[in-house]
Coordinates of all heavy atoms in Angstrom, one line a residue:
M265 N 15.1 -0.6 -0.6 CA 15.4 -1.6 -1.6 C 14.8 -2.9 -1.2 O 14.4 -3.7 -2.1 CB 16.9 -1.7 -1.8 CG 17.3 -2.7 -2.8 SD 19.0 -2.5 -3.3 CE 19.1 -3.6 -4.6
S266 N 14.8 -3.3 0.0 CA 14.3 -4.6 0.4 C 12.8 -4.7 0.1 O 12.3 -5.8 -0.1 CB 14.6 -5.0 1.8 OG 14.0 -4.0 2.7
I267 N 12.0 -3.6 0.2 CA 10.6 -3.7 -0.2 C 10.4 -4.0 -1.6 O 9.5 -4.8 -2.0 CB 9.8 -2.5 0.3 CG1 8.3 -2.7 0.2 CG2 10.2 -1.3 -0.6 CD1 7.8 -3.7 1.2
D268 N 11.3 -3.5 -2.5 CA 11.2 -3.8 -3.9 C 11.6 -5.3 -4.1 O 11.0 -6.0 -4.9 CB 12.2 -3.0 -4.7 CG 11.8 -1.5 -4.7 OD1 10.6 -1.2 -4.6 OD2 12.7 -0.6 -4.9
S269 N 12.5 -5.8 -3.4 CA 12.9 -7.2 -3.4 C 11.7 -8.1 -2.9 O 11.5 -9.1 -3.5 CB 14.2 -7.5 -2.6 OG 14.6 -8.8 -2.7
A270 N 11.1 -7.6 -1.9 CA 9.9 -8.4 -1.4 C 8.8 -8.4 -2.4 O 8.2 -9.5 -2.5 CB 9.4 -7.7 -0.1
R271 N 8.6 -7.3 -3.1 CA 7.5 -7.3 -4.1 C 7.9 -8.2 -5.3 O 7.0 -9.0 -5.8 CB 7.3 -5.9 -4.6 CG 6.6 -5.0 -3.7 CD 6.3 -3.6 -4.2 NE 5.6 -2.8 -3.2 CZ 5.9 -1.6 -2.9 NH1 6.9 -1.0 -3.5 NH2 5.2 -1.0 -2.0
A272 N 9.2 -8.2 -5.7 CA 9.6 -9.1 -6.7 C 9.5 -10.6 -6.3 O 9.1 -11.5 -7.1 CB 11.0 -8.8 -7.1
L273 N 9.8 -10.9 -5.1 CA 9.7 -12.2 -4.5 C 8.3 -12.7 -4.5 O 7.9 -13.8 -4.8 CB 10.4 -12.3 -3.1 CG 10.2 -13.6 -2.4 CD1 10.9 -14.8 -3.2 CD2 10.8 -13.5 -1.0
A274 N 7.4 -11.8 -4.0 CA 6.0 -12.1 -4.0 C 5.4 -12.5 -5.3 O 4.7 -13.4 -5.5 CB 5.2 -11.0 -3.3
A275 N 5.8 -11.7 -6.3 CA 5.3 -11.9 -7.7 C 5.9 -13.3 -8.2 O 5.2 -14.0 -8.9 CB 5.8 -10.8 -8.6
K276 N 7.1 -13.6 -7.8 CA 7.7 -14.9 -8.2 C 7.0 -16.0 -7.6 O 6.8 -17.1 -8.2 CB 9.2 -14.9 -7.9 CG 9.9 -16.1 -8.3 CD 10.2 -16.2 -9.7 CE 11.1 -17.4 -10.0 NZ 11.1 -17.7 -11.5
V277 N 6.7 -15.9 -6.3 CA 6.0 -17.0 -5.5 C 4.7 -17.3 -6.1 O 4.3 -18.5 -6.2 CB 5.9 -16.6 -4.0 CG1 4.9 -17.5 -3.3 CG2 7.2 -16.6 -3.4
L278 N 4.0 -16.3 -6.7 CA 2.7 -16.5 -7.3 C 2.7 -17.3 -8.5 O 1.7 -17.9 -9.0 CB 1.9 -15.2 -7.5 CG 1.5 -14.4 -6.3 CD1 1.0 -13.1 -6.7 CD2 0.4 -15.2 -5.6
T279 N 3.9 -17.4 -9.2 CA 4.0 -18.1 -10.4 C 5.0 -19.3 -10.3 O 5.0 -20.1 -11.3 CB 4.6 -17.2 -11.5 OG1 5.9 -16.7 -11.1 CG2 3.7 -16.0 -11.8
D280 N 5.7 -19.5 -9.2 CA 6.7 -20.6 -9.1 C 6.3 -21.5 -8.0 O 6.5 -21.1 -6.8 CB 8.1 -20.0 -9.0 CG 9.2 -21.1 -9.1 OD1 9.0 -22.2 -8.7 OD2 10.2 -20.7 -9.6
E281 N 5.8 -22.7 -8.2 CA 5.3 -23.6 -7.2 C 6.5 -24.2 -6.3 O 6.3 -24.4 -5.2 CB 4.6 -24.8 -7.8 CG 3.3 -24.4 -8.4 CD 2.5 -25.5 -9.1 OE1 3.0 -26.7 -9.0 OE2 1.5 -25.3 -9.7
V282 N 7.7 -24.3 -6.9 CA 8.8 -24.8 -6.2 C 9.2 -23.8 -5.1 O 9.4 -24.2 -3.9 CB 10.0 -25.1 -7.1 CG1 11.3 -25.4 -6.4 CG2 9.7 -26.2 -8.1
L283 N 9.3 -22.5 -5.5 CA 9.7 -21.5 -4.5 C 8.6 -21.4 -3.5 O 8.9 -21.2 -2.3 CB 9.9 -20.1 -5.3 CG 10.1 -18.9 -4.4 CD1 11.4 -19.1 -3.5 CD2 10.3 -17.7 -5.2
E284 N 7.3 -21.4 -3.9 CA 6.2 -21.3 -2.9 C 6.3 -22.4 -1.9 O 6.2 -22.2 -0.7 CB 4.9 -21.4 -3.7 CG 3.7 -21.4 -2.8 CD 2.4 -21.6 -3.5 OE1 2.4 -21.9 -4.7 OE2 1.3 -21.5 -2.8
K285 N 6.6 -23.7 -2.3 CA 6.7 -24.8 -1.4 C 7.9 -24.6 -0.4 O 7.8 -24.9 0.8 CB 6.9 -26.1 -2.2 CG 7.2 -27.3 -1.4 CD 5.9 -28.1 -1.1 CE 6.2 -29.4 -0.5 NZ 6.2 -29.4 0.9
Q286 N 9.0 -24.1 -1.0 CA 10.2 -23.9 -0.1 C 9.9 -22.9 0.9 O 10.3 -23.0 2.1 CB 11.4 -23.5 -1.0 CG 12.0 -24.6 -1.8 CD 13.2 -24.2 -2.6 OE1 13.6 -23.1 -2.6 NE2 13.7 -25.2 -3.4
I287 N 9.2 -21.8 0.6 CA 8.9 -20.8 1.6 C 7.9 -21.3 2.6 O 8.0 -21.0 3.8 CB 8.4 -19.5 0.9 CG1 9.6 -18.8 0.2 CG2 7.8 -18.6 1.9 CD1 9.3 -17.6 -0.6
Q288 N 6.9 -22.1 2.1 CA 5.9 -22.6 3.1 C 6.6 -23.6 4.1 O 6.1 -23.7 5.2 CB 4.8 -23.4 2.3 CG 3.9 -22.4 1.6 CD 2.8 -23.2 0.8 OE1 2.9 -24.4 0.6 NE2 1.8 -22.5 0.4
D289 N 7.6 -24.3 3.6 CA 8.3 -25.3 4.5 C 9.2 -24.6 5.5 O 9.7 -25.3 6.4 CB 9.1 -26.3 3.7 CG 8.2 -27.2 2.9 OD1 7.0 -27.3 3.2 OD2 8.7 -27.8 1.9
T290 N 9.5 -23.3 5.4 CA 10.4 -22.7 6.4 C 9.6 -22.6 7.8 O 8.4 -22.3 7.8 CB 10.8 -21.3 6.0 OG1 9.7 -20.5 5.8 CG2 11.6 -21.4 4.7
K291 N 10.4 -22.8 8.8 CA 9.8 -22.8 10.2 C 10.3 -21.6 11.0 O 9.7 -21.2 12.0 CB 10.1 -24.1 10.9 CG 9.3 -25.3 10.2 CD 9.7 -26.6 10.9 CE 9.0 -27.8 10.3 NZ 9.1 -27.9 8.9
T292 N 11.5 -21.1 10.6 CA 12.1 -20.0 11.3 C 12.4 -18.9 10.4 O 12.5 -19.1 9.2 CB 13.4 -20.4 12.1 OG1 14.4 -20.8 11.1 CG2 13.1 -21.6 13.0
E293 N 12.7 -17.7 10.9 CA 13.1 -16.6 10.1 C 14.4 -16.8 9.5 O 14.6 -16.4 8.3 CB 13.1 -15.3 11.0 CG 12.9 -14.0 10.2 CD 12.6 -12.8 11.0 OE1 11.8 -13.0 12.0 OE2 13.1 -11.8 10.7
A294 N 15.3 -17.5 10.1 CA 16.6 -17.8 9.6 C 16.5 -18.7 8.3 O 17.1 -18.5 7.3 CB 17.5 -18.5 10.6
E295 N 15.6 -19.7 8.4 CA 15.3 -20.6 7.3 C 14.7 -19.8 6.1 O 15.1 -20.0 5.0 CB 14.4 -21.7 7.6 CG 15.0 -22.8 8.5 CD 14.0 -23.9 8.9 OE1 12.8 -23.8 8.4 OE2 14.4 -24.7 9.7
F296 N 13.8 -18.9 6.4 CA 13.2 -18.0 5.4 C 14.3 -17.2 4.7 O 14.4 -17.1 3.5 CB 12.2 -17.1 6.0 CG 11.6 -16.1 5.0 CD1 10.6 -16.4 4.2 CD2 12.1 -14.8 5.0 CE1 10.1 -15.5 3.3 CE2 11.6 -13.9 4.1 CZ 10.6 -14.2 3.2
D297 N 15.2 -16.6 5.5 CA 16.3 -15.8 5.0 C 17.2 -16.6 4.1 O 17.6 -16.1 3.0 CB 17.1 -15.2 6.1 CG 16.4 -14.1 6.9 OD1 15.3 -13.6 6.4 OD2 16.8 -13.8 8.1
D298 N 17.5 -17.9 4.5 CA 18.3 -18.7 3.6 C 17.7 -19.0 2.3 O 18.3 -19.0 1.2 CB 18.6 -20.1 4.4 CG 19.6 -19.9 5.5 OD1 20.3 -18.8 5.6 OD2 19.6 -20.8 6.4
V299 N 16.4 -19.4 2.3 CA 15.7 -19.7 1.1 C 15.6 -18.5 0.2 O 15.9 -18.5 -1.0 CB 14.3 -20.2 1.3 CG1 13.4 -20.3 0.1 CG2 14.3 -21.6 2.0
V300 N 15.3 -17.3 0.7 CA 15.2 -16.1 0.0 C 16.5 -15.7 -0.6 O 16.6 -15.4 -1.8 CB 14.6 -15.0 0.9 CG1 14.8 -13.6 0.2 CG2 13.2 -15.2 1.2
A301 N 17.6 -15.8 0.1 CA 18.9 -15.5 -0.4 C 19.3 -16.5 -1.5 O 20.0 -16.0 -2.5 CB 19.9 -15.6 0.8
K302 N 19.0 -17.7 -1.4 CA 19.3 -18.7 -2.4 C 18.7 -18.4 -3.7 O 19.3 -18.6 -4.8 CB 18.8 -20.1 -1.9 CG 19.1 -21.2 -2.9 CD 18.5 -22.5 -2.4 CE 17.9 -23.3 -3.5 NZ 17.2 -24.5 -3.1
W303 N 17.5 -17.8 -3.7 CA 16.8 -17.4 -4.9 C 17.2 -16.0 -5.4 O 16.7 -15.5 -6.4 CB 15.3 -17.4 -4.7 CG 14.8 -18.9 -4.7 CD1 14.8 -19.8 -3.7 CD2 14.2 -19.5 -5.8 NE1 14.3 -20.9 -4.1 CE2 13.9 -20.8 -5.4 CE3 13.9 -19.1 -7.1 CZ2 13.3 -21.7 -6.3 CZ3 13.3 -20.0 -8.0 CH2 13.0 -21.3 -7.5
G304 N 18.1 -15.3 -4.6 CA 18.6 -14.0 -5.0 C 17.8 -12.8 -4.5 O 17.9 -11.7 -5.1
Y305 N 17.0 -13.0 -3.5 CA 16.2 -11.9 -3.0 C 16.7 -11.5 -1.6 O 17.4 -12.3 -0.9 CB 14.7 -12.2 -2.9 CG 14.1 -12.6 -4.3 CD1 14.1 -13.9 -4.7 CD2 13.7 -11.5 -5.1 CE1 13.5 -14.1 -6.0 CE2 13.1 -11.8 -6.3 CZ 13.1 -13.1 -6.8 OH 12.5 -13.4 -8.0
S306 N 16.3 -10.3 -1.1 CA 16.7 -9.9 0.2 C 15.6 -9.1 0.8 O 15.3 -7.9 0.5 CB 18.0 -9.0 0.1 OG 18.3 -8.5 1.4
C307 N 14.9 -9.7 1.8 CA 13.8 -9.0 2.5 C 13.5 -9.8 3.8 O 13.8 -10.9 3.9 CB 12.5 -8.9 1.6 SG 11.8 -10.5 1.2
S308 N 12.8 -9.1 4.7 CA 12.4 -9.7 5.9 C 11.0 -10.4 5.7 O 10.3 -10.2 4.7 CB 12.2 -8.6 7.0 OG 11.1 -7.8 6.7
V309 N 10.7 -11.3 6.7 CA 9.4 -12.0 6.6 C 8.2 -11.0 6.6 O 7.3 -11.2 5.8 CB 9.3 -13.0 7.8 CG1 7.9 -13.6 7.8 CG2 10.3 -14.0 7.8
A310 N 8.3 -10.0 7.4 CA 7.2 -9.0 7.5 C 7.1 -8.2 6.1 O 5.9 -8.0 5.7 CB 7.5 -8.0 8.6
E311 N 8.2 -7.9 5.5 CA 8.1 -7.2 4.2 C 7.5 -8.1 3.2 O 6.7 -7.7 2.4 CB 9.5 -6.7 3.8 CG 10.1 -5.6 4.6 CD 11.5 -5.3 4.3 OE1 12.3 -6.2 4.0 OE2 11.9 -4.2 4.5
F312 N 8.0 -9.4 3.2 CA 7.4 -10.4 2.2 C 5.9 -10.6 2.4 O 5.2 -10.6 1.4 CB 8.2 -11.7 2.3 CG 7.5 -12.8 1.5 CD1 7.5 -12.8 0.2 CD2 6.8 -13.8 2.2 CE1 6.9 -13.8 -0.6 CE2 6.1 -14.8 1.4 CZ 6.2 -14.8 0.1
M313 N 5.5 -10.7 3.6 CA 4.1 -11.0 3.9 C 3.2 -9.8 3.4 O 2.2 -10.0 2.8 CB 3.8 -11.2 5.4 CG 4.4 -12.5 5.9 SD 3.9 -14.0 4.9 CE 2.1 -14.0 5.3
A314 N 3.7 -8.6 3.6 CA 3.0 -7.4 3.2 C 2.9 -7.3 1.7 O 1.9 -7.1 1.1 CB 3.6 -6.1 3.8
A315 N 4.1 -7.6 1.0 CA 4.1 -7.6 -0.4 C 3.3 -8.7 -1.0 O 2.7 -8.5 -2.1 CB 5.6 -7.7 -0.9
F316 N 3.3 -9.9 -0.4 CA 2.5 -11.0 -0.9 C 1.0 -10.7 -0.8 O 0.3 -11.0 -1.8 CB 2.8 -12.3 -0.1 CG 2.2 -13.5 -0.6 CD1 2.8 -14.1 -1.8 CD2 1.2 -14.1 0.0 CE1 2.2 -15.2 -2.4 CE2 0.6 -15.3 -0.6 CZ 1.1 -15.8 -1.7
K317 N 0.5 -10.1 0.3 CA -0.9 -9.8 0.4 C -1.2 -8.7 -0.7 O -2.3 -8.8 -1.3 CB -1.2 -9.2 1.7 CG -1.3 -10.2 2.8 CD -1.6 -9.6 4.2 CE -1.6 -10.7 5.2 NZ -1.9 -10.1 6.6
E318 N -0.4 -7.8 -0.9 CA -0.6 -6.8 -2.0 C -0.6 -7.5 -3.4 O -1.5 -7.1 -4.2 CB 0.6 -5.8 -1.9 CG 0.5 -4.7 -2.9 CD 1.7 -3.8 -2.8 OE1 2.0 -3.2 -1.7 OE2 2.5 -3.6 -3.8
A319 N 0.3 -8.4 -3.6 CA 0.3 -9.1 -4.9 C -0.9 -10.0 -5.1 O -1.5 -10.0 -6.2 CB 1.6 -9.9 -5.0
Q320 N -1.4 -10.6 -4.1 CA -2.6 -11.5 -4.2 C -3.8 -10.6 -4.5 O -4.7 -11.0 -5.2 CB -2.8 -12.2 -2.9 CG -2.0 -13.5 -2.8 CD -2.4 -14.3 -1.5 OE1 -2.6 -13.7 -0.4 NE2 -2.6 -15.6 -1.6
A321 N -3.9 -9.4 -3.9 CA -5.0 -8.6 -4.1 C -5.1 -8.1 -5.5 O -6.2 -7.8 -6.0 CB -4.9 -7.4 -3.2
K322 N -4.0 -8.1 -6.2 CA -4.0 -7.6 -7.6 C -4.2 -8.8 -8.6 O -4.4 -8.5 -9.8 CB -2.6 -7.0 -7.9 CG -2.4 -5.7 -7.2 CD -1.0 -5.1 -7.6 CE -0.8 -3.8 -6.8 NZ 0.5 -3.2 -7.1
Q323 N -4.3 -10.0 -8.1 CA -4.5 -11.2 -9.0 C -5.9 -11.2 -9.4 O -6.9 -10.9 -8.6 CB -4.2 -12.5 -8.2 CG -2.8 -12.8 -8.0 CD -2.0 -13.1 -9.3 OE1 -1.4 -12.3 -9.8 NE2 -2.2 -14.3 -9.7
P324 N -6.2 -11.5 -10.7 CA -7.6 -11.6 -11.2 C -8.3 -12.8 -10.6 O -7.6 -13.8 -10.3 CB -7.4 -11.7 -12.7 CG -6.1 -12.2 -12.9 CD -5.2 -11.7 -11.8
I325 N -9.6 -12.7 -10.4 CA -10.3 -13.8 -9.9 C -10.6 -14.8 -11.0 O -11.0 -14.5 -12.1 CB -11.7 -13.3 -9.3 CG1 -11.5 -12.4 -8.2 CG2 -12.6 -14.5 -8.9 CD1 -12.7 -11.7 -7.7
S326 N -10.3 -16.1 -10.7 CA -10.5 -17.2 -11.7 C -12.0 -17.4 -11.9 O -12.8 -17.0 -11.1 CB -9.8 -18.5 -11.3 OG -10.5 -19.0 -10.2
D327 N -12.4 -18.1 -13.0 CA -13.8 -18.4 -13.3 C -14.4 -19.2 -12.2 O -15.5 -19.1 -11.8 CB -13.9 -19.1 -14.6 CG -13.7 -18.1 -15.8 OD1 -13.8 -16.9 -15.6 OD2 -13.4 -18.6 -16.9
E328 N -13.6 -20.2 -11.7 CA -14.1 -21.1 -10.6 C -14.3 -20.3 -9.3 O -15.4 -20.5 -8.7 CB -13.0 -22.2 -10.4 CG -13.5 -23.2 -9.4 CD -12.5 -24.4 -9.2 OE1 -11.9 -24.8 -10.2 OE2 -12.3 -24.8 -8.0
E329 N -13.4 -19.4 -9.0 CA -13.6 -18.6 -7.8 C -14.8 -17.7 -7.9 O -15.6 -17.5 -7.0 CB -12.4 -17.8 -7.5 CG -11.2 -18.6 -7.0 CD -9.9 -17.7 -7.0 OE1 -9.8 -16.8 -7.8 OE2 -9.1 -18.0 -6.1
L330 N -15.0 -17.2 -9.1 CA -16.2 -16.4 -9.4 C -17.5 -17.1 -9.3 O -18.5 -16.6 -8.7 CB -16.1 -15.7 -10.8 CG -17.1 -14.7 -11.1 CD1 -17.1 -13.5 -10.1 CD2 -16.8 -14.1 -12.5
D331 N -17.5 -18.4 -9.8 CA -18.7 -19.2 -9.7 C -19.0 -19.5 -8.2 O -20.2 -19.4 -7.8 CB -18.5 -20.5 -10.4 CG -18.5 -20.4 -11.9 OD1 -19.0 -19.4 -12.4 OD2 -18.1 -21.3 -12.6
H332 N -18.0 -19.7 -7.4 CA -18.3 -20.0 -5.9 C -18.8 -18.7 -5.3 O -19.6 -18.7 -4.4 CB -17.0 -20.5 -5.2 CG -16.7 -21.9 -5.6 ND1 -15.8 -22.3 -6.5 CD2 -17.3 -23.1 -5.1 CE1 -15.7 -23.6 -6.6 NE2 -16.6 -24.1 -5.8
A333 N -18.2 -17.6 -5.6 CA -18.6 -16.3 -5.0 C -20.0 -15.9 -5.4 O -20.8 -15.3 -4.7 CB -17.6 -15.2 -5.4
A334 N -20.4 -16.2 -6.6 CA -21.7 -15.8 -7.2 C -22.9 -16.5 -6.4 O -23.9 -15.9 -6.3 CB -21.8 -16.1 -8.6
G335 N -22.6 -17.7 -5.9 CA -23.6 -18.4 -5.2 C -24.8 -18.9 -5.9 O -25.8 -19.4 -5.4
G336 N -24.7 -18.9 -7.2 CA -25.9 -19.4 -8.0 C -25.7 -20.8 -8.4 O -24.8 -21.5 -8.0
I337 N -26.7 -21.3 -9.1 CA -26.6 -22.7 -9.6 C -26.9 -22.7 -11.0 O -27.8 -22.0 -11.5 CB -27.6 -23.6 -8.8 CG1 -27.5 -25.1 -9.2 CG2 -29.0 -23.1 -9.0 CD1 -28.3 -26.0 -8.3
T338 N -26.2 -23.6 -11.7 CA -26.4 -23.7 -13.2 C -26.9 -25.1 -13.5 O -26.3 -26.0 -13.1 CB -25.1 -23.4 -13.9 OG1 -24.6 -22.1 -13.6 CG2 -25.3 -23.5 -15.4
L339 N -28.0 -25.1 -14.1 CA -28.6 -26.4 -14.6 C -28.6 -26.4 -16.1 O -29.4 -25.8 -16.7 CB -30.0 -26.6 -14.0 CG -30.2 -26.6 -12.5 CD1 -31.7 -26.6 -12.1 CD2 -29.4 -27.7 -11.9
V340 N -27.6 -27.2 -16.6 CA -27.5 -27.2 -18.1 C -28.6 -28.1 -18.7 O -28.9 -29.2 -18.2 CB -26.1 -27.8 -18.4 CG1 -25.9 -27.9 -19.9 CG2 -25.0 -27.0 -17.8
G341 N -29.2 -27.5 -19.7 CA -30.2 -28.3 -20.4 C -31.6 -28.1 -19.9 O -32.6 -28.7 -20.5
I342 N -31.8 -27.3 -18.9 CA -33.2 -27.1 -18.4 C -33.6 -25.7 -18.8 O -33.0 -24.7 -18.4 CB -33.2 -27.2 -16.8 CG1 -32.8 -28.7 -16.5 CG2 -34.6 -26.9 -16.3 CD1 -32.8 -28.9 -15.0
D343 N -34.6 -25.6 -19.6 CA -35.1 -24.3 -20.1 C -36.5 -24.1 -19.7 O -37.2 -23.4 -20.4 CB -34.9 -24.3 -21.6 CG -35.6 -25.4 -22.3 OD1 -36.1 -26.3 -21.7 OD2 -35.6 -25.3 -23.6
Y344 N -37.0 -24.6 -18.7 CA -38.4 -24.4 -18.2 C -38.3 -24.1 -16.7 O -37.4 -24.5 -16.0 CB -39.3 -25.6 -18.5 CG -38.8 -26.9 -18.0 CD1 -39.1 -27.3 -16.7 CD2 -38.0 -27.7 -18.8 CE1 -38.6 -28.5 -16.2 CE2 -37.5 -28.9 -18.3 CZ -37.8 -29.3 -17.0 OH -37.3 -30.4 -16.5
P345 N -39.3 -23.3 -16.2 CA -39.3 -23.0 -14.8 C -39.6 -24.3 -13.9 O -40.4 -25.1 -14.3 CB -40.4 -22.0 -14.6 CG -41.3 -22.1 -15.8 CD -40.4 -22.7 -16.9
F346 N -39.0 -24.3 -12.8 CA -39.2 -25.4 -11.9 C -40.5 -25.1 -11.1 O -40.6 -24.1 -10.5 CB -38.0 -25.5 -10.9 CG -38.1 -26.6 -9.9 CD1 -37.8 -27.9 -10.3 CD2 -38.5 -26.4 -8.6 CE1 -37.9 -28.9 -9.4 CE2 -38.5 -27.4 -7.7 CZ -38.2 -28.7 -8.1
V347 N -41.4 -26.1 -11.1 CA -42.6 -25.9 -10.4 C -42.7 -27.1 -9.4 O -42.6 -28.2 -9.7 CB -43.8 -26.0 -11.3 CG1 -45.1 -25.9 -10.6 CG2 -43.7 -24.9 -12.4
M348 N -43.1 -26.7 -8.1 CA -43.2 -27.7 -7.1 C -44.7 -27.9 -6.7 O -45.3 -26.9 -6.5 CB -42.4 -27.3 -5.9 CG -42.2 -28.3 -4.8 SD -41.0 -27.7 -3.7 CE -41.1 -29.0 -2.5
T349 N -45.1 -29.1 -6.7 CA -46.5 -29.3 -6.4 C -46.6 -30.0 -5.0 O -46.0 -31.1 -4.9 CB -47.2 -30.3 -7.5 OG1 -47.0 -29.7 -8.8 CG2 -48.6 -30.5 -7.2
P350 N -47.3 -29.4 -4.1 CA -47.4 -30.1 -2.8 C -48.2 -31.4 -2.9 O -49.2 -31.5 -3.6 CB -48.1 -29.1 -1.9 CG -48.7 -28.1 -2.8 CD -48.0 -28.2 -4.1
I351 N -47.8 -32.3 -2.1 CA -48.5 -33.6 -2.0 C -49.3 -33.6 -0.8 O -48.8 -33.5 0.3 CB -47.5 -34.8 -2.0 CG1 -46.7 -34.8 -3.3 CG2 -48.3 -36.1 -1.9 CD1 -45.6 -35.8 -3.4
V352 N -50.6 -33.8 -0.9 CA -51.6 -33.8 0.2 C -52.1 -35.2 0.4 O -52.7 -35.7 -0.6 CB -52.7 -32.8 0.0 CG1 -53.7 -32.7 1.2 CG2 -52.2 -31.4 -0.3
P353 N -52.0 -35.8 1.5 CA -52.5 -37.1 1.7 C -54.0 -37.2 1.8 O -54.7 -36.4 2.0 CB -51.9 -37.6 3.0 CG -51.3 -36.4 3.7 CD -51.3 -35.3 2.7

């Protein structure tokens, strides 16, 4: 049951910035347990981390992330080939 709770918590963290910040601010496992219990979930740190990685992998890639991954360059308004002419002294 706690793995189901971990998956639900991971999905919530991906959409709730307040919860994400509270979890990031935890320094010990006890603090993590307190925050998780306050939000109504019950799971260990290891279960949450595994579920969070799984949830992140299922997230679609944003257009900005895709642009960075593509590695291309877009020059708006340029519709002719770039030609470089060497300068010889």
Side-chain angles (χ1 to χ4, degrees):
M265 178 168 189
S266 62
I267 193 66
D268 292 333
S269 183
R271 286 183 178 133
L273 177 61
K276 179 74 173 169
V277 168
L278 289 172
T279 60
D280 191 324
E281 292 178 7
V282 173
L283 177 57
E284 179 185 7
K285 175 96 170 91
Q286 288 181 1
I287 288 179
Q288 285 177 347
D289 290 344
T290 60
K291 293 176 180 53
T292 65
E293 204 164 321
E295 288 178 4
F296 174 84
D297 292 340
D298 290 341
V299 169
V300 169
K302 178 181 144 190
W303 284 81
Y305 298 96
S306 174
C307 63
S308 70
V309 173
E311 291 170 332
F312 169 72
M313 292 304 294
F316 187 74
K317 285 181 183 179
E318 181 182 300
Q320 276 186 317
K322 292 180 181 178
Q323 287 290 100
I325 297 174
S326 70
D327 288 340
E328 183 176 319
E329 291 171 325
L330 187 57
D331 286 343
H332 286 102
I337 184 168
T338 302
L339 301 173
V340 178
I342 298 178
D343 57 353
Y344 53 88
F346 180 80
V347 178
M348 188 170 178
T349 306
I351 301 174
V352 180

